[in-house]
Amino acid sequence: MSGRPDSLSSVFERFLSFERRGDLFRMDVCGIGIWHYIRFSVYSKLVLPCFVTMDAAHPDKTAKVRPRWGWNPVNILRRLWRAFRLRVLRNPMFRRGRCDVLIALSPRTTRLADGRRVRLAVDFVVGLLKSTWAVLESPMIDGEYATHDGDGRTFYLEAARAAAAKYRRSAEFSGMKPEMSSAARRIADGISEDFGIEVDVRRLTRTIENAVARDRAAVPLLRRWIRRLGVRCVVEVVHYGGDNMALTKAAHEEGIPVVELQHGTIYPAHAAYNLPVADSPYVPDYLLGWGDYWIRQARNFPAKRAVSTGYPYLEYFLERFPRRTSRQGETRILFISQGTVGRELAEAAVRLSEILPSDRFPVSFKLHPSETRRWRELYPCLESSNVVVVENTAKSVYECFAESDVTVGVCSTALIEGFMWGLKAFIVRDLAGADTMEAFCDGVRAQYVAHAEELAECLRSAEGPSGSAQPPEWREALFRRNAASADAEFIDGVVRMRLGKTQQQVCTGGG
C-alpha cells in the first residue's frame, strides 16, 4: 500500500480552475453545449487516473462476454426476435397507456429472498407511488433485467441507443466530424498546458461524438416517448450517465420536472455534484438525498431544490438482517472491495489474515457486484489464503454487516452504511479516495490506518468489538427514517404540481 502523490480533492480543485480558465461551459460544438455532457467522463477517465493511481471502477464491464450464436437459421431467428422484443415490444411508441412517472434505470441491484432481482434505488419506492409509473430499463452486466414491484410498465432504452448509433452513420454526422475533432484537440491542448499530461485525442473525440449523436438522435426520440406516455415527472438515479443526461434534457425541453434519487456518497470533490454554473439543462430539478449531511455536501449542485428524504433500501435490510452477537474474544473483520482499489485491499486482507490468528480474527472479503465474474483473475492472492471471499450472488453486503464487527475499505458507500449496524470502519489512508472519508474519521465512526500491520495492532489493542458506539444524531443526519414513503410522497407531489400547471395552461390557453 504505497503512498499517492495526490488526493481526489486536490486534483479536482485543479480541474475546476482549468475549466474556468478555458470557459468550457460556453463551448459550442455542433450547436450543443458539449462540456457538461462530457465533463464527468473527461475528469474521471482522462485526468484523474493520471494523478491518482486506481484500477477500473467496474472491472467486469471491461470484459463483457457476448453470446456467440453463429449464423445458422435458428440463431438468426433468435437475433431477430431479440431485436424485435427490445426495440418494438418494449418501445413506448408501440405500447398503449399513459404514465405519470417515468423512472430511469438504477445501476445497483440485489436479489431478494423471494428470488426477485430488483434495482435498489427505485424498487422500494415504486410500489408506494399513487401516480402511475413506468421504468425505462437497460440490461445489467450479465444481460438480465430487473423485476419491478407494483403494477407499472417496463420499457427498454435500446431503441434510443439504436437511433444514436444510426445517426453516427449518417452523412450529416460525417460532415460535423472536423468540428468535433477540433473541439477535442482544443480540450486536449488545454489539459496538456494546465496539467502537464497528454490526453488520448482519439478517445476524447469518440466521447464528443457519442455525446453529439445522443443529443441529435436520442433526445428527440426521448421527447416523443415522454409525450406519448403523458409523463409528468421523470425520476433518475445517477443523473450524470450519458443516457440519463439525454433524458434530462429531453424532459426539460418538454417542460417536465426531473427528480434524482441519491445513489452513492456525495462529497465536495465529486465532479457530478460540484458545478461552476448557475443552471444546466442536464441537471435534475430536485435531488432527494439520504440525509441532511449529504444535502450539505451538494452545495454546488444547481438543482432548484435538494431535500432529505432517506435511504429506502438501507431501511429494508436493517430490518431484515439485525446485528448478530459475536463469540467472546472474536472480532469479525469485513473488507469492502471496490474496483478502483480492489487489488490493494485484497493484498491487505491476505496480509492481515497472516498476521492475526484466524480463530479470533476471521477475515472476509466482500466483492463489489462488478468484480464477481473476474475476481480470481483480478485478485489471485485471495484463492490460496485464509480470507473468505463473499461473492455478490452468495450474500448481500447487508447480511455481511449483520455478521461482522468492523469493516475495512477506502471510500465505498457500504462503509458508511455499516455505521447503521454499529460497525466501526478502518480506512486505508493512502489509497485513492480515502481523503473523501475524512469527515467520518473521528476514531468512533471511522479511523485511518496506513497498512495491514497498523490495522492488526488496532484490532489487538481494542477491548472487543466497537459496535453500537455511533452517535445517534449522526445516524439521523446520514439516513432519515421512513425513506420509501417520503420519496414516494415527494414524487407524487411533483406530479400533482405539474398536473396543476397543465390544467392552468389549458384554462388560460397557454402553451
Side-chain angles (χ1 to χ4, degrees):
M1 292 183 280
S2 58
R4 308 298 182 194
D6 295 275
S7 67
L8 264 65
S9 301
S10 63
V11 177
F12 185 62
E13 285 300 320
R14 292 181 62 184
F15 185 76
L16 288 174
S17 298
F18 153 72
E19 64 182 359
R20 280 195 297 267
R21 284 193 296 272
D23 201 17
L24 294 178
F25 279 95
R26 294 181 180 272
M27 176 182 280
D28 184 287
V29 179
C30 307
I32 301 168
I34 198 69
W35 181 241
H36 199 160
Y37 248 133
I38 68 172
R39 176 181 187 260
F40 186 82
S41 180
V42 170
Y43 171 71
S44 62
K45 296 179 180 179
L46 300 181
V47 175
L48 185 61
C50 295
F51 296 93
V52 179
T53 304
M54 54 188 181
D55 296 320
H58 303 287
D60 280 355
K61 288 185 178 180
T62 63
K64 187 173 181 179
V65 179
R66 298 184 180 275
R68 296 182 179 181
W69 288 345
W71 290 101
N72 63 59
V74 173
N75 287 332
I76 290 175
L77 290 175
R78 289 173 65 189
R79 287 172 182 267
L80 291 174
W81 167 247
R82 183 177 186 276
F84 180 75
R85 179 171 60 87
L86 296 181
R87 300 183 187 183
V88 178
L89 294 183
R90 294 292 184 174
N91 187 324
M93 295 303 294
F94 301 105
R95 300 286 296 276
R96 292 187 177 183
R98 300 169 67 85
C99 70
D100 296 319
V101 182
L102 182 62
I103 304 170
L105 62 98
S106 159
R108 295 193 66 188
T109 68
T110 192
R111 197 175 296 278
L112 302 182
D114 60 7
R116 288 181 300 121
R117 186 88 170 265
V118 299
R119 302 274 191 184
L120 286 177
V122 299
D123 284 296
F124 296 102
V125 176
V126 291
L128 300 178
L129 288 173
K130 296 178 181 177
S131 309
T132 57
W133 58 273
V135 175
L136 192 57
E137 274 274 13
S138 70
M140 294 171 276
I141 294 174
D142 57 10
E144 294 184 14
Y145 290 84
T147 304
H148 301 283
D149 281 335
D151 56 357
R153 294 183 178 86
T154 300
F155 299 112
Y156 294 163
L157 264 170
E158 271 69 11
R161 292 178 171 180
K166 181 179 180 181
Y167 182 74
R168 287 178 65 98
R169 300 190 293 270
S170 68
E172 180 179 283
F173 186 82
S174 297
M176 296 188 296
K177 283 190 174 182
E179 184 178 352
M180 291 184 278
S181 297
S182 176
R185 172 53 64 185
R186 174 190 161 186
I187 294 171
D189 288 345
I191 292 174
S192 178
E193 180 178 347
D194 279 43
F195 291 91
I197 59 176
E198 294 299 321
V199 171
D200 185 340
V201 178
R202 287 182 298 179
R203 183 178 179 184
L204 180 54
T205 301
R206 288 195 298 270
T207 300
I208 293 175
E209 289 177 350
N210 289 337
V212 170
R214 187 179 285 117
D215 192 273
R216 289 297 185 93
V219 169
L221 181 58
L222 290 168
R223 291 185 65 180
R224 291 198 293 273
W225 288 1
I226 288 171
R227 291 195 297 269
R228 172 70 178 81
L229 295 172
V231 175
R232 295 190 174 96
C233 174
V234 169
V235 176
E236 296 177 344
V237 184
V238 191
H239 78 274
Y240 49 92
D243 291 324
N244 282 352
M245 293 184 80
L247 180 60
T248 300
K249 184 178 183 183
H252 284 159
E253 289 179 352
E254 291 296 316
I256 302 301
V258 180
V259 177
E260 180 180 17
L261 305 182
Q262 182 180 349
H263 76 284
T265 54
I266 300 174
Y267 47 90
H270 195 310
Y273 296 96
N274 192 323
L275 300 165
V277 292
D279 55 58
S280 169
Y282 308 108
V283 170
D285 301 282
Y286 306 100
L287 171 64
L288 303 190
W290 297 336
D292 292 344
Y293 172 82
W294 306 108
I295 295 302
R296 291 195 296 270
Q297 304 309 302
R299 54 183 177 268
N300 291 321
F301 189 56
K304 294 178 182 176
R305 184 183 176 195
V307 59
S308 301
T309 52
Y311 197 11
Y313 41 105
L314 183 67
E315 286 189 27
Y316 172 89
F317 289 107
L318 267 171
E319 295 176 0
R320 184 166 185 81
F321 300 119
R323 176 84 177 278
R324 303 171 192 173
T325 305
S326 58
R327 293 182 302 165
Q328 183 68 28
E330 180 184 59
T331 301
R332 301 164 298 185
I333 306 158
L334 177 66
F335 277 75
I336 305 293
S337 185
Q338 54 193 131
T340 53
V341 291
R343 177 173 49 83
E344 290 95 335
L345 286 176
E347 292 171 354
V350 172
R351 177 59 181 150
L352 186 68
S353 70
E354 294 170 345
I355 298 173
L356 298 175
S358 58
D359 59 331
R360 291 182 52 215
F361 299 94
V363 179
S364 298
F365 191 88
K366 180 65 176 74
L367 295 168
H368 187 275
S370 67
E371 298 171 323
T372 297
R373 289 173 55 196
R374 298 183 59 205
W375 72 266
R376 291 177 177 82
E377 170 193 345
L378 296 167
Y379 318 131
C381 62
L382 291 173
E383 281 206 271
S384 58
S385 71
N386 293 324
V387 176
V388 177
V389 177
V390 184
E391 297 190 13
N392 189 51
T393 53
K395 189 182 296 184
S396 76
V397 70
Y398 306 104
E399 189 172 357
C400 293
F401 290 153
E403 300 172 350
S404 303
D405 296 308
V406 297
T407 58
V408 184
V410 179
C411 58
S412 171
T413 302
L415 295 169
I416 302 170
E417 293 172 342
F419 295 165
M420 302 302 283
W421 274 261
L423 305 184
K424 179 177 179 178
F426 288 93
I427 313 300
V428 184
R429 180 188 295 114
D430 293 328
L431 297 186
D435 58 300
T436 65
M437 296 290 289
E438 185 174 355
F440 304 105
C441 289
D442 55 5
V444 178
R445 291 179 298 259
Q447 177 179 336
Y448 281 123
V449 291
H451 41 65
E453 287 76 12
E454 182 179 350
L455 174 57
E457 184 58 33
C458 291
L459 294 171
R460 284 198 195 100
S461 60
E463 295 182 1
S466 59
S468 72
Q470 313 301 336
E473 64 274 13
W474 262 95
R475 294 167 67 92
E476 182 69 14
L478 290 173
F479 308 115
R480 291 193 64 178
R481 297 289 184 172
N482 303 314
S485 59
D487 280 346
E489 288 173 8
F490 189 95
I491 294 168
D492 283 332
V494 172
V495 171
R496 289 193 298 271
M497 179 180 64
R498 175 60 190 169
L499 179 60
K501 288 184 178 179
T502 302
Q503 292 173 339
Q504 183 180 17
Q505 290 169 352
V506 171
C507 294
T508 59

